[in-house]
Structures are given as structure tokens and as C-alpha cells.
Amino acid sequence: MPKRIVAILVVFFLLLTGCKANNTGDFQEDNNAVQMEAGVQTDTNESKEQAKMKKADESTLADNQIRVTVGSSSFVVNLEDNETAKALREMLADEDLTISASNYGGFEKVCQLGKTLPRNDNQITAEAGDVMLYSGNQIVFFHGANSWSYTKVGKVEASSIEELESVLSGSETEVILSLK
């Protein structure tokens, strides 16, 4: 008789363990469904949504915009209506441009173009988000302010100045300019 009771108890515990595993999975699925209905996104859903936004953002550049990628971040620059901006877009028409970059003065990231663009320098006080041409052959992305003689190229579309400062003040030594 005791062997029979032990066997029944073992089977009973095995059944309980199996039920608990199934309930946990069902609970997780139900919990995700409730979170989705309530507008709460899980990490996986956020990643998918960010990828969709990035893909949509990549396909919607206007004729007066370029994409700038610094490290793993990218942003759109709205270009000025001038010869410098037009020459830069023409330069990017055939292929993306990967250029060396360095931080300077705690307020800008300077990129050597390797080519001289038309310029019309004026004394300007650059602000965070401004994109300027310096000396005809350097593109400067500002995350702070500086007053100097530049040709204005454009302005970065950024959701916040803090985000822009974080991206541009980083240690990355390459910037990619593209039309996609």
C-alpha cells in the first residue's frame, strides 16, 4: 500500500509541475496582450517600432535633406538653399561619404571633406544643431555655440538639444553623410 501512495504522489506532483509551466506561459502571453491594449510596449515591441520608424525615416528624405550617421545614431539635416548645400548633395548623389571627424572646443564635431565646396563665409554665431562649412573643406556639426566666419549648410532635425549633444560630443571618429 505505501508504494502505491508514493507512486500516486509522484504522479500528482508531476502533473502539478506540468500545469504550472503551462500557466506561466499563458500568463506571460496574457500579460503582453494586456500591456499592448493598455499602450504599454515591451522591449521587443519597442525595438520593432524603432526599426519601423528608422526604416520609414530613411525612405522619406526630401530634396533639401541629407542623413548624417554618427556611431549608431542618425539624424536628418535640412539644407539651406545655397550653392554650398547643393554642391554637398551633388557630392552624395553617387555614393555615401564616410569622413573623419573630431571633437573641437567642446561645442562642435569637425569633419574633413577631402574636397572644397563653394563658400560664402559670413560672421555667424552658430547654435546647437547648426551645420556649417569652415574653410571650404570642413563640415562642422554644432552641439554648442560659437561665433566665427562660416557658410551655413543646414540645420539638424533633432528631438532635443540634449540628444544632439550626446551624439555629437561622443568619441566617434567617423561620420557618414548620405541621401538615404
Side-chain angles (χ1 to χ4, degrees):
M1 181 85 162
K3 288 183 184 179
R4 188 179 236 184
I5 293 174
V6 170
I8 291 172
L9 287 174
V10 168
V11 170
F12 178 74
F13 284 116
L14 288 174
L15 288 174
L16 284 178
T17 304
C19 290
K20 185 174 182 180
N22 285 338
N23 285 341
T24 302
D26 291 343
F27 175 76
Q28 184 63 39
E29 288 174 16
D30 290 343
N31 190 30
N32 287 343
V34 169
Q35 285 181 342
M36 290 295 288
E37 287 176 16
V40 177
Q41 295 180 334
T42 61
D43 289 341
T44 303
N45 290 331
E46 281 183 21
S47 298
K48 288 178 185 175
E49 199 59 36
Q50 288 171 346
K52 284 180 190 175
M53 287 174 57
K54 185 175 181 181
K55 191 167 197 160
D57 196 29
E58 287 176 358
S59 64
T60 58
L61 284 182
D63 290 340
N64 67 333
Q65 296 177 321
I66 63 170
R67 180 167 315 282
V68 178
T69 304
V70 181
S72 61
S73 299
S74 72
F75 46 89
V76 173
V77 174
N78 292 315
L79 298 173
E80 292 289 308
D81 185 15
N82 63 26
E83 293 304 311
T84 306
K86 289 175 186 169
L88 180 60
R89 265 194 72 81
E90 286 175 17
M91 210 166 115
L92 302 175
D94 294 329
E95 63 184 354
D96 297 351
L97 179 64
T98 301
I99 49 181
S100 65
S102 59
N103 295 326
Y104 181 79
F107 52 83
E108 65 187 26
K109 188 169 284 290
V110 180
C111 305
Q112 301 292 329
L113 281 174
K115 180 179 178 178
T116 301
L117 297 179
R119 63 192 233 196
N120 184 18
D121 294 344
N122 292 304
Q123 186 68 27
I124 301 173
T125 298
E127 301 172 342
D130 283 339
V131 180
M132 304 287 189
L133 179 69
Y134 173 71
S135 293
N137 62 356
Q138 298 172 50
I139 294 289
V140 183
F141 298 94
F142 284 89
H143 57 87
N146 188 42
S147 183
W148 203 259
S149 188
Y150 301 109
T151 300
K152 188 152 185 166
V153 176
K155 184 85 170 178
V156 172
E157 281 185 1
S159 58
S160 74
I161 297 302
E162 293 82 21
E163 175 188 7
L164 185 64
E165 182 177 7
S166 171
V167 170
L168 293 178
S169 65
S171 62
E172 292 82 7
T173 58
E174 281 187 348
V175 171
I176 301 170
L177 306 178
S178 71
L179 297 179
K180 51 188 171 196

